[in-house]
């Protein structure tokens, strides 16, 4: 916008052309025509660009102060939000005026939703979002959201619009089937760590600046605030004892939360600067990753005592448990490598060099690979079952969190420097989507039952909720599945015995 141009970036991430476009404010590609359209805020016009020779084909009027634009892929119609005129101008793909639609005050961003075939406009000054029917070209709903809605986003295959509210620092979720607000989520001060309790369908979020853990119920409402130690960061759920473990970075301890009572049962002294928590689901053992003392504290879940300490590389940040070989992988931020720990022998058996600043890891049970997030080099290192790095993926700026979603076989990467989430297909290892989220996205986690991904945005104090890009369940593995099947089977057997005894007693009395 300030340089009055459009930069063209190749697949090799090189700028290959700069196209002069005065007052450029928003840009969109039209599947209908194959052209690029750029709104020119200060000029009141729209530029149509040929993407093959990088030339402006045509410039046409687009209303006063065009700020955002969206294109209907079915017919090529262009919807332009006119900020100072409080209208949306509708043009056909050649630039001819079709209609001017009045909306609320200060429309900024506009987006087209393929599922509902509607256009959604964020009205900054009126704290609303307008829904426009793409067929009737009329406003069908105005929804109140947070203060000063700015960015607006919708997924490929879901029916939810996410609206970022600048002044209230929260996210509003809108159901496009009903055009009603689902909820707005604000989650304390400095949310960092996040984990999901599948047994109770609850979400736990650490707040590093307020020293609380927030608990969200299945409807994503805050159901409890639990005071823990200072600077809570890493957090994990232990299915072995149904407890939640919280790493308190500034008080060098781990808080143990009982989800049933939503209270802290113990505060366990560990090493210095605990930043991450790893759980071994086979025996419930908990591993506190201590960044400042360069070691791992091993916690026995039977009495929640530290039974051993294991030295790692420099500045370990977080880790992950590999279900295929029962090993633990720790990312050492300071030494740029991954320590592989045998939990039986309680020692490091190997170290693997990776990118610069490894700090978060995730495990893919379908191929047995470990994905290591490298903060300083903006990359992901892929480690196979033979403990070799077999590839590297590029991420956004400042990647902080990574999780694997079995529901759609995708990796979700939180890029703190870009306020975005990369979605990568784990099979083709290709980028599927870039999703704008809150400010400084830090850690993320997945609900294993429906594939929904939760992103903790540290600086905006919010949680972003993402639906998986594909609703095909495919292969799904859950460590709780066998337990649940056994429980159901046992319940049926017990119930059958009770009924049989009751019938025998009834006959005996007769």
């Amino acid at each position: 916008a300030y340089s009055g141009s459009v930069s063209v970036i190749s697949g090799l991430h090189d700028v290959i052309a700069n196209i002069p476009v005065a007052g450029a404010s928003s840009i969109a590609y039209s599947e209908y025509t194959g052209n690029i359209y750029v709104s020119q805020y200060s000029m009141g016009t729209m530029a149509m660009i040929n993407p093959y020779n990088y030339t402006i084909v045509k410039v046409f009027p687009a209303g006063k102060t065009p700020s955002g634009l969206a294109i209907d892929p079915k017919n090529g119609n262009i919807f332009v939000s006119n900020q100072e005129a409080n209208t949306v101008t509708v043009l056909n793909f050649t630039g001819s005026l079709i209609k001017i639609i009045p909306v609320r005050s200060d429309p900024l961003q506009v987006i087209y939703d393929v599922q509902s075939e509607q256009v959604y406009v964020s009205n900054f000054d009126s704290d609303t979002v307008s829904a426009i029917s793409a067929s009737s070209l009329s406003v069908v709903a105005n929804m109140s959201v947070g203060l000063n809605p700015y960015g607006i986003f919708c997924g490929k295959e879901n029916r939810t619009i996410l609206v970022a509210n600048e002044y209230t620092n929260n996210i509003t979720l809108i159901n496009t089937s009903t055009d009603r607000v689902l909820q707005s989520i604000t989650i304390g001060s400095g949310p960092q760590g996040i984990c999901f309790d599948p047994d109770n369908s609850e979400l736990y979020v650490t707040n590093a600046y307020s020293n609380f853990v927030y608990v969200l119920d299945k409807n994503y409402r805050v159901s409890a605030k639990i005071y823990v130690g200072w600077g809570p960061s890493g957090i994990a759920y232990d299915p072995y004892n149904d407890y939640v473990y919280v790493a308190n970075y500034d008080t060098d301890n781990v808080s143990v939360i009982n989800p049933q009572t939503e209270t802290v049962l113990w505060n366990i002294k560990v090493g210095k600067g605990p930043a991450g928590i790893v759980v071994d689901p086979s025996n419930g053992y908990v591993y506190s990753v201590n960044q400042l003392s360069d070691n791992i504290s091993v916690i026995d879940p039977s009495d929640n005592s530290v039974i051993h300490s294991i030295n790692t590389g420099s500045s370990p940040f977080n880790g992950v448990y590999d279900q295929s070989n029962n090993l633990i992988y720790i990312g050492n931020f300071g030494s740029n490598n991954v320590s592989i720990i045998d939990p039986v022998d309680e020692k490091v058996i190997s170290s693997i060099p990776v990118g610069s600043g490894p700090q978060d890891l995730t495990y893919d049970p379908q191929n047995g690979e470990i994905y290591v997030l490298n903060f300083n080099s903006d990359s992901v290192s892929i480690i196979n079952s033979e403990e070799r790095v077999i590839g590297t993926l590029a991420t956004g700026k400042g990647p902080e969190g990574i999780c694997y979603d079995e529901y759609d076989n995708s990796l979700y990467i939180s890029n703190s420097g870009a306020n975005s989430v990369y979605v990568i297909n784990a099979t083709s290892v290709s980028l599927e989507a870039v999703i704008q989220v809150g400010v400084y996205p830090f850690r993320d986690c997945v609900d294993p039952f429906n594939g929904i991904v939760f992103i903790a945005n540290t600086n905006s104090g919010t949680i972003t909720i993402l639906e998986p890009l594909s609703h095909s369940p495919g292969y799904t593995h859950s460590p709780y599945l066998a337990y649940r099947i056994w429980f159901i089977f046992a319940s049926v057997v017990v119930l059958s015995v009770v009924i049989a005894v009751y019938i025998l007693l009834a006959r005996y009395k007769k």
Side-chain angles (χ1 to χ4, degrees), residues 40 46-49 55-60 93-96:
Q40 300 174 273
M46 177 85 64
M48 182 169 65
I49 297 174
T55 59
I56 296 177
V57 178
K58 187 177 183 181
V59 176
F60 41 84
F93 62 90
T94 65
S96 299

Side-chain angles (χ1 to χ4, degrees), residues 270-271 286-290 295-299 306 308-310:
V270 292
V286 176
Y287 299 82
S288 172
V289 184
N290 308 313
N295 64 3
I296 306 296
S297 297
V298 184
I299 300 173
V306 174
H308 196 67
S309 292
I310 306 171

Side-chain angles (χ1 to χ4, degrees), residues 171-193:
I171 302 292
T172 298
L173 280 70
I174 295 174
N175 186 326
T176 60
S177 298
T178 60
D179 286 330
R180 301 177 75 175
V181 172
L182 292 173
Q183 68 220 53
S184 293
I185 304 173
T186 303
I187 192 70
S189 178
Q192 288 192 354

Side-chain angles (χ1 to χ4, degrees), residues 114-133:
V114 296
Q115 295 293 322
S116 62
E117 296 185 353
Q118 294 184 159
V119 174
Y120 291 83
V121 186
S122 60
N123 303 308
F124 189 82
D125 282 348
S126 62
D127 307 326
T128 61
V129 167
S130 297
I132 298 173
S133 168

Side-chain angles (χ1 to χ4, degrees), residues 418-487:
N419 300 329
S420 68
V421 168
Y422 274 19
V423 186
I424 295 176
N425 184 291
T427 301
S428 62
V429 198
S430 59
L431 182 65
E432 292 185 331
V434 178
I435 304 172
Q436 292 303 125
V437 291
V439 181
Y440 207 95
F442 192 76
R443 290 289 188 262
D444 40 33
C445 74
V446 178
D447 181 341
F449 300 122
N450 54 28
I452 289 177
V453 178
F454 304 92
I455 313 292
N457 305 303
T458 298
N459 289 354
S460 58
T462 58
I463 298 296
T464 298
I465 302 174
L466 306 177
E467 290 190 4
L469 294 181
S470 170
H471 289 280
S472 176
Y475 165 79
T476 302
H477 166 78
S478 171
Y480 319 102
L481 182 60
Y483 168 79
R484 292 178 183 276
I485 293 173
W486 169 249
F487 179 79

Side-chain angles (χ1 to χ4, degrees), residues 44-75:
T45 54
M46 177 85 64
M48 182 169 65
I49 297 174
N50 185 325
Y52 297 102
N53 56 21
Y54 314 131
T55 59
I56 296 177
V57 178
K58 187 177 183 181
V59 176
F60 41 84
K64 187 178 181 181
T65 58
S67 57
L69 66 93
I71 299 175
D72 185 341
K74 294 177 63 178
N75 53 28

Side-chain angles (χ1 to χ4, degrees), residues 67-149:
S67 57
L69 66 93
I71 299 175
D72 185 341
K74 294 177 63 178
N75 53 28
N77 285 348
I78 307 166
F79 294 79
V80 186
S81 56
N82 305 113
Q83 185 176 2
E84 294 182 3
N86 301 328
T87 59
V88 169
T89 298
V90 186
L91 309 168
N92 71 7
F93 62 90
T94 65
S96 299
L97 177 65
I98 297 176
K99 188 175 183 180
I100 297 176
I101 307 171
V103 290
R104 298 291 175 88
S105 176
D106 204 11
L108 278 183
Q109 300 294 322
V110 60
I111 193 167
Y112 179 84
D113 176 33
V114 296
Q115 295 293 322
S116 62
E117 296 185 353
Q118 294 184 159
V119 174
Y120 291 83
V121 186
S122 60
N123 303 308
F124 189 82
D125 282 348
S126 62
D127 307 326
T128 61
V129 167
S130 297
I132 298 173
S133 168
S135 57
S136 67
L137 303 181
S138 60
V139 175
V140 294
N142 284 297
M143 294 149 282
S144 296
V145 291
L147 300 182
N148 300 141

